[in-house]
Amino acid sequence: MKFMKIGSKPDSIKTDGNNVRYVENELASDITINVDGSRFCLHKFPLLSKSACLQKLLSRTDKNNADEVDISGIPGGPTAFETCAKFCYGMTVTLSAYNVVATRCAAEYLGMHETAEKGNLIYKIDVFLNSSLFRSWKDSIIVLQTTKTFSPLSEDLKLVSLCIDAIASKACVNVSHVEWSYTYNRKKLAEENNGADQVRAREVPHDWVLQPKVA
């Protein structure tokens, strides 16, 4: 299972036990964001710098002298929004095949594109998908399975087709051009082969991964 960590600051988002989440620091929050029954008491500046959607919503609240917005339609709900919010604050977030689709769809909803800020969340997620997850059988399949929950947005973002293409490309690879990568006990393997240099053929375990040979 491959994963990517983004950000370096410690996680300082806390909860009071009543579905209210807030950033623990010396500055008082100046915006409340409602997401499917959860209230996030946050700060405008870090959110505005990375989210085009929140820029528009917050500009409207300023005109109405209000400090509360609702984005209950965001894909992935409170969990995905919290991940995006942590990214805005520079807090460490961990992405894997299990949460990358939810986070990518939430980031799309929030408009976290390069036009808002260079090196934004959508860009980092797309790089992670193409350079890491789509290179693995297991991760590609997990990502594909998670896209169902976020259809049709996941299809509009071409996540489904990218997963299918990644899996299909591996299925079509000539087996003479690949190496089998899987976990095993090296000491036990040597014992099974009586210390011989030539390891006899073995069945590939359930956690095998197809990897192209490096020329």
Side-chain angles (χ1 to χ4, degrees):
M1 174 64 63
K2 299 180 180 178
F3 64 92
M4 176 176 72
K5 286 190 175 183
I6 307 174
S8 58
K9 297 180 181 179
D11 183 358
S12 59
I13 291 185
K14 308 297 181 180
T15 179
D16 68 354
N18 295 310
N19 290 326
V20 176
R21 308 180 196 186
Y22 59 93
V23 177
E24 189 176 52
N25 61 26
E26 297 178 353
L27 298 176
S29 64
D30 55 9
I31 187 68
T32 299
I33 300 177
N34 296 312
V35 186
D36 295 334
S38 293
R39 290 163 55 86
F40 290 83
C41 300
L42 304 174
H43 304 88
K44 294 179 181 180
F45 177 73
L47 302 176
L48 285 170
S49 66
K50 294 180 173 63
S51 170
C53 172
L54 291 179
Q55 287 176 17
K56 294 179 181 178
L57 291 174
L58 294 177
S59 66
R60 294 173 188 169
T61 62
D62 288 340
K63 292 179 181 178
N64 297 326
N65 295 318
D67 59 359
E68 191 163 342
V69 296
D70 186 281
I71 56 170
S72 293
I74 186 172
T79 300
F81 173 72
E82 183 172 330
T83 299
C84 294
K86 287 179 180 178
F87 173 81
C88 291
Y89 279 90
M91 299 177 193
T92 301
V93 297
T94 302
L95 297 178
S96 70
Y98 288 103
N99 68 356
V100 70
V101 173
T103 307
R104 176 65 177 84
C105 290
E108 184 70 25
Y109 179 96
L110 293 171
M112 302 179 76
H113 295 276
E114 294 297 278
T115 51
E117 183 174 275
K118 292 294 183 182
N120 215 337
L121 183 55
I122 288 176
Y123 169 76
K124 292 184 181 298
I125 290 176
D126 288 347
V127 170
F128 178 48
L129 284 167
N130 291 305
S131 66
S132 184
L133 296 185
F134 288 154
R135 293 177 178 269
S136 162
W137 270 103
K138 183 176 181 179
D139 289 329
S140 296
I141 293 172
I142 292 172
V143 172
L144 180 59
Q145 290 173 331
T146 62
T147 60
K148 298 178 183 178
T149 304
F150 303 97
S151 181
L153 180 56
S154 59
E155 295 180 4
D156 295 338
L157 297 177
K158 301 187 183 303
L159 293 174
V160 175
S161 60
L162 288 171
C163 288
I164 293 174
D165 289 345
I167 295 169
S169 65
K170 293 174 179 58
C172 295
V173 170
N174 188 318
V175 293
S176 65
H177 297 155
V178 301
E179 293 177 339
W180 301 105
S181 176
Y182 49 85
T183 59
Y184 61 91
N185 187 312
R186 293 177 181 273
K187 183 178 180 180
K188 182 178 180 181
L189 182 61
E191 292 174 351
E192 290 176 355
N193 290 276
N194 298 318
D197 293 334
Q198 185 64 39
V199 177
R200 67 172 181 265
R202 306 174 74 247
E203 291 185 1
V204 178
H206 63 86
D207 60 344
W208 62 270
V209 177
L210 187 65
Q211 296 182 335
K213 284 185 178 178
V214 178

